[in-house]
Amino acid sequence: MSYKESKISVTPEQASLKIRSWCAYQERSHYETRNKLNEWRLDEAVAENIIADLIAENYLNEERFASAFAGGKFRIKHWGRNKIKVELKKHRISEVNLRKALTQIEEESYCKMIQHEIEKKLRSILKGDQNKKFYATLQYLISRGFEADLVREELKKLIETDNYEFRSEE
C-alpha cells in the first residue's frame, strides 16, 4: 500500500485541533493546509470552514507565510529570487504577496550573497580555463535562482578588480 492510499480519517473536531497545532509549529500556506486536511479525508465544506477559522484566528496568513518562506530560503538555503518565486507559486501565493515577500530581501544583501556564492563555486572548480570557470559559475548560480544579468555583472566585477584569479590550483 502506498503512502497516498494510507490516508487517515479524523473527525472535524480532531482535525481542527490537530491542524491548529500543525500551523502553530511553523508558517503554512493555505494550499498546504488544504492538502493536509484533504489527507485526513475531511469533507470539502468542513475543510473550508476550518481554514476560514484558521485565517480568522491568525494561524494562517498568506503574506506572513510568503515573507517567512522567502527570507528563510534566501538566508539559509541561499536561493535566488527566481527560485523563491517559483516555489512560492507552487504554494499558490498571490502575486501581490509574492512581490511583497521578494522586496523584503535587501538589494545589498542579495548582491553580497551572489558574491559569496560565486567565490564558493570558484573555489570548488579545480580545473579548466577562465571561460569554463566563468560559465560553470554562471550556470551554477542561475540554477540556484539568481538572475543571469546580476551574476554576470558580479563575475565581471570580480575579474576586473582582480580579487579572484581564475587559474587552476594544483
Side-chain angles (χ1 to χ4, degrees):
M1 184 185 318
S2 75
Y3 172 74
K4 296 262 182 204
E5 293 170 6
S6 65
K7 295 179 182 179
I8 59 169
S9 287
V10 294
T11 66
E13 295 77 26
Q14 289 172 323
S16 186
L17 290 172
K18 285 179 76 165
I19 206 74
R20 276 173 175 69
S21 174
W22 189 72
C23 289
Y25 178 71
Q26 76 180 46
E27 292 296 337
R28 307 288 182 175
S29 69
H30 298 184
Y31 176 72
E32 66 184 326
T33 304
R34 189 170 284 108
N35 285 344
K36 184 60 118 177
L37 291 170
N38 288 339
E39 281 180 22
W40 295 341
R41 296 183 179 182
L42 284 179
D43 182 59
E44 197 171 319
V46 172
E48 289 304 316
N49 285 338
I50 291 173
I51 288 174
D53 290 344
L54 292 171
I55 293 167
E57 295 168 13
N58 210 20
Y59 280 95
L60 285 181
N61 182 314
E62 191 178 73
E63 184 178 342
R64 194 175 63 209
F65 168 79
S67 293
F69 184 92
K73 297 302 181 188
F74 173 69
R75 284 187 315 278
I76 298 165
K77 293 210 173 203
H78 301 187
W79 285 3
R81 288 187 191 118
N82 291 339
K83 188 167 184 172
I84 292 169
K85 186 176 183 179
V86 166
E87 292 301 315
L88 282 172
K89 283 184 177 186
K90 287 181 184 176
H91 283 270
R92 300 189 179 160
I93 300 300
S94 71
E95 198 63 38
V96 172
N97 288 327
L98 197 148
R99 271 190 256 113
K100 280 183 188 176
L102 291 176
T103 57
Q104 291 185 1
I105 299 173
E106 295 176 6
E107 196 62 35
E108 186 179 333
S109 299
Y110 196 72
C111 288
K112 283 183 181 177
M113 183 67 71
I114 291 173
Q115 292 166 355
H116 170 76
E117 289 297 309
I118 286 172
E119 290 169 6
K120 189 170 89 174
K121 181 63 178 175
L122 287 173
R123 283 192 301 272
S124 74
I125 304 173
L126 300 177
K127 295 182 180 176
D129 63 13
Q130 185 168 341
N131 279 340
K132 283 184 182 176
K133 287 183 179 187
F134 181 92
Y135 288 107
T137 304
L138 178 65
Q139 190 59 44
Y140 172 74
L141 268 79
I142 290 170
S143 75
R144 305 274 307 164
F146 293 97
E147 297 86 337
D149 55 334
L150 287 175
V151 175
R152 202 174 287 116
E153 187 180 308
E154 291 298 326
L155 271 166
K156 286 178 181 177
K157 275 190 219 172
L158 195 62
I159 292 168
E160 287 170 6
T161 59
D162 288 330
N163 286 340
Y164 195 90
E165 294 182 32
F166 284 85
R167 63 176 175 191
S168 298
E169 296 178 16
E170 278 128 308

